[in-house]
Amino acid sequence: DQQVKQNSPSLSVQEGRISILNCDYTNSMFDYFLWYKKYPAEGPTFLISISSIKDKNEDGRFTVFLNKSAKHLSLHIVPSQPGDSAVYFCAASAQGGSEKLVFGKGTKLTVNP
Amino acid sequence: NAGVMQNPRHLVRRRGQEARLRCSPMKGHSHVYWYRQLPEEGLKFMVYLQKENIIDESGMPKERFSAEFPKEGPSILRIQQVVRGDSAAYFCASSPPMRRSQETQYFGPGTRLLVL
């Protein structure tokens, strides 16, 4: 039972354009969401997070949007750069439980020069 | 300001041997988490520890796997009598002792375990 789903295994965009990565979740108890970026043979690197009391959080080129009614969040990267090419993981944690993160399977982003 | 450290980075074991994976959290962090990533999969939670306490081990296999985070020293994930299915990347993460509503976990580089 996959509680966090990233339905696009891969995404390819042109340098300078917008990258939109999507994530859906099923557990209504999730109240904190994070995006991590991962290069091969490295650990995930924290990118940006959002609490369920917000619907948007922005940090430089990265913006995360949360739609609680649809149980959907998205990560926007604009403008996209070749160095953004990596696997992006969406993760969530639930109130009232331990601090464990539930991850999606990831989306491999390729930004072409 | 060193990040989360894990060693070894690569570990090769034969079936039936023991594997010990070490994790040193970031300075000031007292919460440690272990995750496992199988090929083409996301990271799966295994265990959450604070100093000398296991808080949540709901993701740990019932047998052969154990974890500890002693008062002094790194956290250890121990896999006894390894099997080929244990081959995976094992990641450790740490977070500071703060209110959970704004908690962020920071990951180490991982240990890639290969069981022959």
Side-chain angles (χ1 to χ4, degrees):
Chain A
D1 177 30
Q2 202 169 351
Q3 298 183 67
V4 176
K5 298 178 184 178
Q6 294 178 256
N7 291 320
S8 297
S10 63
L11 174 68
S12 184
V13 300
Q14 209 62 28
E15 180 178 6
R17 306 293 290 269
I18 185 171
S19 296
I20 300 176
L21 296 98
N22 294 302
C23 178
D24 296 293
Y25 61 96
T26 56
N27 188 340
S28 57
M29 298 298 286
F30 287 149
D31 66 342
Y32 190 56
F33 304 89
L34 308 90
W35 284 94
Y36 285 87
K37 173 181 177 181
K38 186 180 181 300
Y39 294 116
E42 294 185 12
T45 301
F46 170 72
L47 208 52
I48 192 169
S49 63
I50 188 166
S51 166
S52 60
I53 61 174
K54 296 184 176 181
D55 55 18
K56 177 183 174 181
N57 189 24
E58 192 172 352
D59 184 2
R61 297 185 297 115
F62 303 92
T63 303
V64 55
F65 295 91
L66 175 62
N67 182 334
K68 281 176 291 187
S69 61
K71 293 191 176 67
H72 176 83
L73 64 156
S74 60
L75 174 68
H76 293 211
I77 306 173
V78 55
S80 301
Q81 299 172 355
D84 295 330
S85 297
V87 178
Y88 288 78
F89 289 99
C90 172
S93 65
Q95 61 183 340
S98 76
E99 317 302 335
K100 66 183 179 186
L101 295 177
V102 180
F103 282 84
K105 290 189 174 184
T107 296
K108 183 176 182 180
L109 173 66
T110 302
V111 180
N112 301 303
Chain B
N1 184 18
V4 179
M5 299 176 68
Q6 290 187 250
N7 68 80
R9 293 291 304 273
H10 299 273
L11 183 61
V12 179
R13 285 288 178 266
R14 296 193 180 278
R15 281 178 296 168
Q17 291 184 319
E18 179 179 288
R20 282 193 180 221
L21 288 64
R22 294 173 185 77
C23 169
S24 296
M26 287 178 69
K27 187 175 181 180
H29 287 192
S30 58
H31 298 196
V32 165
Y33 317 80
W34 287 92
Y35 294 83
R36 176 166 65 175
Q37 185 184 25
L38 296 171
E40 309 302 323
E41 295 286 325
L43 283 73
K44 294 283 199 294
F45 168 78
M46 298 181 76
V47 62
Y48 163 40
L49 310 102
Q50 296 178 17
K51 283 285 187 181
E52 298 185 280
N53 285 304
I54 296 174
I55 308 301
D56 181 356
E57 56 181 349
S58 59
M60 287 280 269
K62 299 300 181 190
E63 297 177 347
R64 304 188 297 109
F65 285 71
S66 62
E68 62 176 5
F69 189 16
K71 187 176 179 181
E72 301 291 338
S75 175
I76 306 285
L77 179 67
R78 182 182 177 205
I79 312 172
Q80 295 179 291
Q81 299 174 330
V82 295
V83 301
R84 287 206 174 121
D86 296 333
S87 296
Y90 291 82
F91 293 98
C92 170
S94 72
S95 69
M98 59 192 292
R99 290 182 65 82
R100 68 157 307 281
S101 62
Q102 296 298 324
E103 185 166 304
T104 296
Q105 296 179 22
Y106 297 91
F107 283 80
T111 294
R112 277 137 192 94
L113 173 65
L114 175 63
V115 180
L116 301 177

